[in-house]
Tab-separated table of all heavy atoms in Angstrom:
chain	number	residue	atom	x	y	z
A	115	HIS	N	0.770	1.496	-15.622
A	115	HIS	CA	-0.526	2.159	-15.884
A	115	HIS	C	-0.259	3.653	-15.912
A	115	HIS	O	0.577	4.177	-15.172
A	115	HIS	CB	-1.496	1.810	-14.789
A	115	HIS	CG	-2.916	2.155	-15.036
A	115	HIS	ND1	-3.384	3.477	-15.085
A	115	HIS	CD2	-4.011	1.399	-15.309
A	115	HIS	CE1	-4.665	3.460	-15.316
A	115	HIS	NE2	-5.086	2.248	-15.474
A	116	PRO	N	-0.950	4.357	-16.762
A	116	PRO	CA	-0.739	5.871	-16.807
A	116	PRO	C	-1.011	6.555	-15.504
A	116	PRO	O	-0.559	7.679	-15.312
A	116	PRO	CB	-1.750	6.326	-17.915
A	116	PRO	CG	-1.951	5.161	-18.738
A	116	PRO	CD	-1.917	3.978	-17.796
A	117	HIS	N	-1.728	5.959	-14.578
A	117	HIS	CA	-2.066	6.621	-13.341
A	117	HIS	C	-0.973	6.602	-12.309
A	117	HIS	O	-1.101	7.205	-11.251
A	117	HIS	CB	-3.319	5.980	-12.727
A	117	HIS	CG	-4.615	6.349	-13.452
A	117	HIS	ND1	-5.836	5.935	-12.986
A	117	HIS	CD2	-4.822	7.044	-14.534
A	117	HIS	CE1	-6.766	6.411	-13.796
A	117	HIS	NE2	-6.192	7.073	-14.779
A	118	GLY	N	0.093	5.879	-12.549
A	118	GLY	CA	1.172	5.804	-11.574
A	118	GLY	C	1.666	7.177	-11.124
A	118	GLY	O	2.106	8.000	-11.998
A	119	GLY	N	1.608	7.488	-9.844
A	119	GLY	CA	1.901	8.831	-9.398
A	119	GLY	C	3.289	9.281	-9.671
A	119	GLY	O	3.555	10.513	-9.772
A	121	ASN	N	5.190	8.255	-12.293
A	121	ASN	CA	5.579	7.903	-13.650
A	121	ASN	C	6.524	8.972	-14.270
A	121	ASN	O	7.335	8.661	-15.086
A	121	ASN	CB	4.368	7.764	-14.515
A	121	ASN	CG	3.694	6.398	-14.386
A	121	ASN	OD1	4.146	5.568	-13.604
A	121	ASN	ND2	2.670	6.149	-15.172
A	411	GLY	N	-1.673	21.482	-19.114
A	411	GLY	CA	-0.909	20.432	-18.457
A	411	GLY	C	-1.466	20.065	-17.088
A	411	GLY	O	-2.436	20.651	-16.622
A	412	LEU	N	-0.849	19.067	-16.499
A	412	LEU	CA	-1.270	18.614	-15.173
A	412	LEU	C	-0.669	19.501	-14.083
A	412	LEU	O	0.496	19.901	-14.179
A	412	LEU	CB	-0.833	17.157	-14.956
A	412	LEU	CG	-1.464	16.112	-15.896
A	412	LEU	CD1	-0.874	14.731	-15.591
A	412	LEU	CD2	-2.976	16.102	-15.756
A	413	THR	N	-1.456	19.811	-13.099
A	413	THR	CA	-0.979	20.602	-11.959
A	413	THR	C	-0.422	19.716	-10.870
A	413	THR	O	-0.715	18.504	-10.835
A	413	THR	CB	-2.139	21.486	-11.437
A	413	THR	OG1	-3.280	20.632	-11.219
A	413	THR	CG2	-2.469	22.570	-12.427
A	415	ASP	N	-1.111	19.066	-7.895
A	415	ASP	CA	-2.093	18.309	-7.032
A	415	ASP	C	-2.629	17.071	-7.795
A	415	ASP	O	-3.384	16.289	-7.225
A	415	ASP	CB	-3.209	19.164	-6.589
A	415	ASP	CG	-3.959	19.846	-7.737
A	415	ASP	OD1	-3.289	20.349	-8.681
A	415	ASP	OD2	-5.223	19.840	-7.693
A	416	LEU	N	-2.300	16.929	-9.081
A	416	LEU	CA	-2.877	15.802	-9.863
A	416	LEU	C	-1.835	14.709	-10.086
A	416	LEU	O	-2.221	13.562	-10.407
A	416	LEU	CB	-3.369	16.302	-11.240
A	416	LEU	CG	-4.602	17.205	-11.187
A	416	LEU	CD1	-4.990	17.694	-12.572
A	416	LEU	CD2	-5.769	16.488	-10.511
A	417	GLU	N	-0.527	14.982	-10.037
A	417	GLU	CA	0.500	13.948	-10.184
A	417	GLU	C	1.662	14.279	-9.239
A	417	GLU	O	2.193	15.371	-9.278
A	417	GLU	CB	0.944	13.741	-11.606
A	417	GLU	CG	1.623	14.919	-12.266
A	417	GLU	CD	2.169	14.535	-13.651
A	417	GLU	OE1	2.241	13.338	-14.025
A	417	GLU	OE2	2.539	15.474	-14.381
A	421	PHE	N	0.995	9.641	-4.109
A	421	PHE	CA	-0.358	9.209	-4.472
A	421	PHE	C	-0.433	9.012	-5.937
A	421	PHE	O	0.367	9.578	-6.758
A	421	PHE	CB	-1.399	10.234	-3.991
A	421	PHE	CG	-1.232	11.600	-4.551
A	421	PHE	CD1	-1.732	12.037	-5.806
A	421	PHE	CD2	-0.572	12.597	-3.797
A	421	PHE	CE1	-1.602	13.264	-6.270
A	421	PHE	CE2	-0.419	13.880	-4.271
A	421	PHE	CZ	-0.905	14.241	-5.526
A	422	ASP	N	-1.382	8.217	-6.397
A	422	ASP	CA	-1.607	7.908	-7.838
A	422	ASP	C	-2.672	8.847	-8.379
A	422	ASP	O	-3.529	9.365	-7.690
A	422	ASP	CB	-1.996	6.445	-8.013
A	422	ASP	CG	-0.898	5.475	-7.592
A	422	ASP	OD1	0.219	5.626	-8.097
A	422	ASP	OD2	-1.180	4.656	-6.711
A	423	ARG	N	-2.610	9.049	-9.707
A	423	ARG	CA	-3.674	9.834	-10.347
A	423	ARG	C	-4.999	9.095	-10.319
A	423	ARG	O	-5.032	7.873	-10.349
A	423	ARG	CB	-3.212	10.126	-11.784
A	423	ARG	CG	-2.046	11.039	-11.920
A	423	ARG	CD	-1.461	10.961	-13.328
A	423	ARG	NE	-2.405	11.423	-14.355
A	423	ARG	CZ	-2.254	11.213	-15.638
A	423	ARG	NH1	-1.187	10.530	-16.083
A	423	ARG	NH2	-3.106	11.727	-16.493
A	424	GLU	N	-6.058	9.846	-10.270
A	424	GLU	CA	-7.433	9.268	-10.233
A	424	GLU	C	-8.041	9.184	-11.574
A	424	GLU	O	-9.038	8.466	-11.741
A	424	GLU	CB	-8.274	10.098	-9.303
A	424	GLU	CG	-7.771	10.120	-7.818
A	424	GLU	CD	-8.563	11.145	-6.968
A	424	GLU	OE1	-9.426	11.817	-7.508
A	424	GLU	OE2	-8.242	11.191	-5.752
A	425	HIS	N	-7.507	9.893	-12.556
A	425	HIS	CA	-8.054	9.853	-13.928
A	425	HIS	C	-6.990	10.364	-14.911
A	425	HIS	O	-5.906	10.845	-14.432
A	425	HIS	CB	-9.336	10.706	-14.024
A	425	HIS	CG	-9.118	12.128	-13.533
A	425	HIS	ND1	-8.435	13.036	-14.249
A	425	HIS	CD2	-9.524	12.762	-12.349
A	425	HIS	CE1	-8.428	14.215	-13.632
A	425	HIS	NE2	-9.057	14.070	-12.476
A	426	MET	N	-7.242	10.258	-16.169
A	426	MET	CA	-6.307	10.724	-17.166
A	426	MET	C	-6.559	12.147	-17.690
A	426	MET	O	-5.906	12.570	-18.612
A	426	MET	CB	-6.269	9.718	-18.334
A	426	MET	CG	-5.498	8.453	-18.112
A	426	MET	SD	-5.508	7.354	-19.534
A	426	MET	CE	-4.735	8.448	-20.757
A	427	ASN	N	-7.548	12.753	-17.155
A	427	ASN	CA	-7.981	14.043	-17.696
A	427	ASN	C	-7.063	15.200	-17.322
A	427	ASN	O	-6.512	15.224	-16.236
A	427	ASN	CB	-9.409	14.366	-17.250
A	427	ASN	CG	-10.445	13.337	-17.669
A	427	ASN	OD1	-10.254	12.691	-18.713
A	427	ASN	ND2	-11.443	13.170	-16.895
A	428	LEU	N	-7.005	16.178	-18.250
A	428	LEU	CA	-6.430	17.485	-17.879
A	428	LEU	C	-7.391	18.168	-16.958
A	428	LEU	O	-8.590	17.781	-16.829
A	428	LEU	CB	-6.252	18.297	-19.153
A	428	LEU	CG	-5.115	17.859	-20.079
A	428	LEU	CD1	-5.264	18.639	-21.405
A	428	LEU	CD2	-3.777	18.150	-19.501
A	429	PRO	N	-6.959	19.195	-16.164
A	429	PRO	CA	-7.905	19.902	-15.339
A	429	PRO	C	-9.148	20.400	-16.094
A	429	PRO	O	-9.041	20.784	-17.249
A	429	PRO	CB	-7.070	21.094	-14.832
A	429	PRO	CG	-5.657	20.573	-14.838
A	429	PRO	CD	-5.595	19.717	-16.050
A	430	ALA	N	-10.255	20.368	-15.452
A	430	ALA	CA	-11.535	20.668	-16.099
A	430	ALA	C	-11.560	22.036	-16.695
A	430	ALA	O	-12.131	22.242	-17.785
A	430	ALA	CB	-12.669	20.507	-15.041
A	431	GLN	N	-10.932	23.039	-16.016
A	431	GLN	CA	-10.982	24.401	-16.553
A	431	GLN	C	-10.154	24.514	-17.835
A	431	GLN	O	-10.490	25.294	-18.739
A	431	GLN	CB	-10.500	25.413	-15.498
A	431	GLN	CG	-9.020	25.280	-15.060
A	431	GLN	CD	-8.886	24.360	-13.883
A	431	GLN	OE1	-9.615	23.356	-13.755
A	431	GLN	NE2	-7.911	24.697	-13.030
A	433	LEU	N	-9.842	21.997	-20.110
A	433	LEU	CA	-10.649	21.364	-21.165
A	433	LEU	C	-11.783	22.282	-21.558
A	433	LEU	O	-12.148	22.341	-22.758
A	433	LEU	CB	-11.144	20.028	-20.655
A	433	LEU	CG	-10.102	18.924	-20.431
A	433	LEU	CD1	-10.736	17.682	-19.762
A	433	LEU	CD2	-9.470	18.524	-21.777
A	452	ASN	N	3.291	17.813	-18.699
A	452	ASN	CA	2.827	16.735	-17.870
A	452	ASN	C	3.844	15.652	-17.767
A	452	ASN	O	4.722	15.574	-18.622
A	452	ASN	CB	1.472	16.172	-18.388
A	452	ASN	CG	1.535	15.894	-19.879
A	452	ASN	OD1	1.604	16.819	-20.692
A	452	ASN	ND2	1.570	14.661	-20.270
A	454	ALA	N	3.060	12.304	-17.539
A	454	ALA	CA	2.503	11.001	-17.962
A	454	ALA	C	1.371	11.258	-18.902
A	454	ALA	O	0.879	12.371	-19.039
A	454	ALA	CB	2.013	10.212	-16.709
A	455	PRO	N	0.944	10.228	-19.645
A	455	PRO	CA	-0.144	10.403	-20.659
A	455	PRO	C	-1.411	11.007	-20.078
A	455	PRO	O	-1.806	10.722	-18.935
A	455	PRO	CB	-0.379	8.972	-21.159
A	455	PRO	CG	0.912	8.296	-20.943
A	455	PRO	CD	1.445	8.840	-19.644
A	456	VAL	N	-2.059	11.833	-20.904
A	456	VAL	CA	-3.341	12.375	-20.554
A	456	VAL	C	-4.337	12.097	-21.688
A	456	VAL	O	-3.930	11.833	-22.817
A	456	VAL	CB	-3.248	13.938	-20.370
A	456	VAL	CG1	-2.433	14.240	-19.114
A	456	VAL	CG2	-2.631	14.582	-21.570
A	457	ALA	N	-5.627	12.111	-21.374
A	457	ALA	CA	-6.632	11.948	-22.376
A	457	ALA	C	-6.732	13.253	-23.184
A	457	ALA	O	-6.597	14.355	-22.689
A	457	ALA	CB	-7.997	11.646	-21.721
A	501	LEU	N	-6.492	5.925	-25.566
A	501	LEU	CA	-7.615	6.795	-25.764
A	501	LEU	C	-8.348	7.016	-24.451
A	501	LEU	O	-8.885	8.104	-24.183
A	501	LEU	CB	-8.631	6.119	-26.728
A	501	LEU	CG	-8.208	6.189	-28.190
A	501	LEU	CD1	-9.107	5.263	-29.068
A	501	LEU	CD2	-8.276	7.600	-28.726
A	502	ARG	N	-8.351	6.012	-23.550
A	502	ARG	CA	-9.025	6.120	-22.274
A	502	ARG	C	-8.382	5.128	-21.292
A	502	ARG	O	-7.813	4.109	-21.745
A	502	ARG	CB	-10.515	5.883	-22.391
A	502	ARG	CG	-10.858	4.523	-22.918
A	502	ARG	CD	-12.336	4.406	-23.369
A	502	ARG	NE	-12.595	5.256	-24.510
A	502	ARG	CZ	-12.409	4.866	-25.752
A	502	ARG	NH1	-11.843	3.675	-26.017
A	502	ARG	NH2	-12.719	5.668	-26.757
A	503	GLN	N	-8.485	5.397	-20.025
A	503	GLN	CA	-7.833	4.531	-19.049
A	503	GLN	C	-8.392	3.108	-19.029
A	503	GLN	O	-7.682	2.112	-18.757
A	503	GLN	CB	-7.913	5.131	-17.618
A	503	GLN	CG	-9.331	5.074	-17.024
A	503	GLN	CD	-9.399	5.618	-15.641
A	503	GLN	OE1	-9.153	6.797	-15.420
A	503	GLN	NE2	-9.667	4.789	-14.642
A	504	SER	N	-9.654	2.928	-19.299
A	504	SER	CA	-10.270	1.643	-19.323
A	504	SER	C	-9.721	0.715	-20.412
A	504	SER	O	-9.903	-0.473	-20.379
A	504	SER	CB	-11.807	1.774	-19.428
A	504	SER	OG	-12.111	2.401	-20.653
A	509	ASP	N	-6.088	-2.060	-15.946
A	509	ASP	CA	-6.921	-1.017	-15.333
A	509	ASP	C	-7.792	-1.564	-14.215
A	509	ASP	O	-7.934	-0.942	-13.172
A	509	ASP	CB	-7.793	-0.348	-16.381
A	509	ASP	CG	-8.497	0.864	-15.819
A	509	ASP	OD1	-7.832	1.767	-15.323
A	509	ASP	OD2	-9.774	0.866	-15.804
A	512	PHE	N	-5.525	-2.036	-11.011
A	512	PHE	CA	-4.554	-0.991	-10.673
A	512	PHE	C	-5.277	0.028	-9.754
A	512	PHE	O	-6.325	0.514	-10.096
A	512	PHE	CB	-4.030	-0.288	-11.884
A	512	PHE	CG	-2.977	0.744	-11.590
A	512	PHE	CD1	-1.596	0.383	-11.585
A	512	PHE	CD2	-3.313	2.037	-11.245
A	512	PHE	CE1	-0.652	1.320	-11.279
A	512	PHE	CE2	-2.370	2.978	-10.946
A	512	PHE	CZ	-1.041	2.645	-10.931
A	513	PRO	N	-4.642	0.458	-8.655
A	513	PRO	CA	-3.410	-0.113	-8.107
A	513	PRO	C	-3.607	-1.341	-7.290
A	513	PRO	O	-2.668	-1.963	-6.826
A	513	PRO	CB	-2.897	1.044	-7.268
A	513	PRO	CG	-4.132	1.684	-6.747
A	513	PRO	CD	-5.117	1.601	-7.902
A	758	ARG	N	-1.296	17.369	-0.168
A	758	ARG	CA	-1.887	16.057	-0.446
A	758	ARG	C	-0.869	14.957	-0.298
A	758	ARG	O	-1.129	13.878	0.206
A	758	ARG	CB	-2.519	16.065	-1.866
A	758	ARG	CG	-3.219	14.786	-2.158
A	758	ARG	CD	-3.829	14.756	-3.567
A	758	ARG	NE	-4.457	13.503	-3.830
A	758	ARG	CZ	-4.892	13.132	-5.030
A	758	ARG	NH1	-4.865	13.973	-6.050
A	758	ARG	NH2	-5.434	11.935	-5.211
Side-chain angles (χ1 to χ4, degrees):
H115 193 289
H117 285 185
N121 279 3
L412 296 177
T413 50
D415 58 316
L416 294 178
E417 63 174 347
F421 59 85
D422 297 303
R423 292 165 64 196
E424 297 172 358
H425 54 74
M426 282 182 59
N427 299 330
L428 289 168
Q431 64 270 34
L433 293 173
N452 47 290
V456 292
L501 285 170
R502 59 193 67 85
Q503 73 178 64
S504 59
D509 189 59
F512 183 92
R758 183 180 176 189

